[in-house]
Amino acid sequence: MTWRRPERRAPELDAADVRILSALQEDGSLSVAAVAEKVNLSTNACWRRIRRLEDEGVIRRRVTLLDPEALGLDVTVFVSVRASEHSEAWLQTFADAVREMPEVVEFYRMSGEVDYLLKIQVSSIAEYDSVYKRLVSKVKLVDVSSAFAMEELKHTTALPLPEPKS
């Protein structure tokens, strides 16, 4: 069975929630006390709000972002895939194959002429070729088209936050 995100209503966020989310998006390593100071709340109140935001799924997890270039992974490839079929079994096989590839850092099912879009981070075109060969050996595809990023002009993990509810 394919994993699907459960449908849910967006939670109502007040101004303090939005300030907390903004602070954590900027620096997820901040202690609760540091966040509380930044957003002008007591530590306990801030901790309760962060816990609620985690429980509601607004905060999924906290991670450390690595610099791909510092790790020698300075080739970004966007791969457009057209599927050979659209059955649940085929999708599961394809999704499993993609999830096993650490070089694939983003994976989307699309609307329009392209069925799937993958973002791949590798050290060289030769390494991408190896990823490509592993992918096409695991699942039948109609078309695979690759575009290599020449320059990254904007990259952020910060989401635009909603206006707070009064």
Side-chain angles (χ1 to χ4, degrees):
M1 168 148 290
T2 301
W3 179 86
R4 296 189 197 281
R5 181 176 305 188
E7 289 192 33
R8 61 181 178 197
R9 263 184 351 106
E12 298 215 359
L13 304 174
D14 65 17
D17 293 332
V18 171
R19 289 193 313 269
I20 289 168
L21 293 172
S22 180
L24 288 174
Q25 281 195 122
E26 186 178 317
D27 185 354
S29 70
L30 291 174
S31 67
V32 173
V35 174
E37 185 176 325
K38 254 183 138 71
V39 303
N40 199 27
L41 286 174
S42 73
T43 301
N44 285 340
C46 186
W47 179 83
R48 283 192 302 275
R49 284 174 177 269
I50 291 171
R51 286 290 307 200
R52 180 181 51 78
L53 292 165
E54 289 172 338
D55 291 344
E56 291 177 351
V58 175
I59 298 173
R60 280 198 278 183
R61 62 183 183 202
R62 298 179 212 187
V63 300
T64 298
L65 301 176
L66 306 178
D67 184 339
E69 287 185 28
L71 295 169
L73 301 171
D74 51 355
V75 177
T76 304
V77 189
F78 293 93
V79 179
S80 302
V81 173
R82 288 188 26 224
S84 61
E85 61 177 278
H86 297 279
S87 70
E88 186 71 24
W90 181 91
L91 173 56
Q92 190 63 54
T93 300
F94 180 53
D96 289 346
V98 169
R99 287 188 187 106
E100 290 174 8
M101 301 177 151
E103 300 89 350
V104 179
V105 296
E106 295 181 40
F107 177 37
Y108 302 95
R109 186 166 58 90
M110 308 294 289
S111 65
E113 291 185 29
V114 170
D115 296 314
Y116 300 93
L117 181 66
L118 290 73
K119 179 180 176 185
I120 297 176
Q121 204 72 48
V122 291
S123 63
S124 65
I125 293 174
E127 186 180 354
Y128 167 67
D129 189 47
S130 173
V131 171
Y132 167 83
K133 288 175 182 174
R134 285 191 342 251
L135 179 63
V136 299
S137 74
K138 293 180 184 218
V139 65
K140 185 176 177 177
L141 304 170
V142 170
D143 182 52
V144 178
S145 177
S146 305
F148 294 83
M150 302 299 291
E151 178 181 13
E152 182 179 271
L153 300 174
K154 179 181 180 180
H155 179 152
T156 182
T157 59
L159 297 175
L161 295 171
E163 290 295 319
K165 304 291 182 199
S166 306

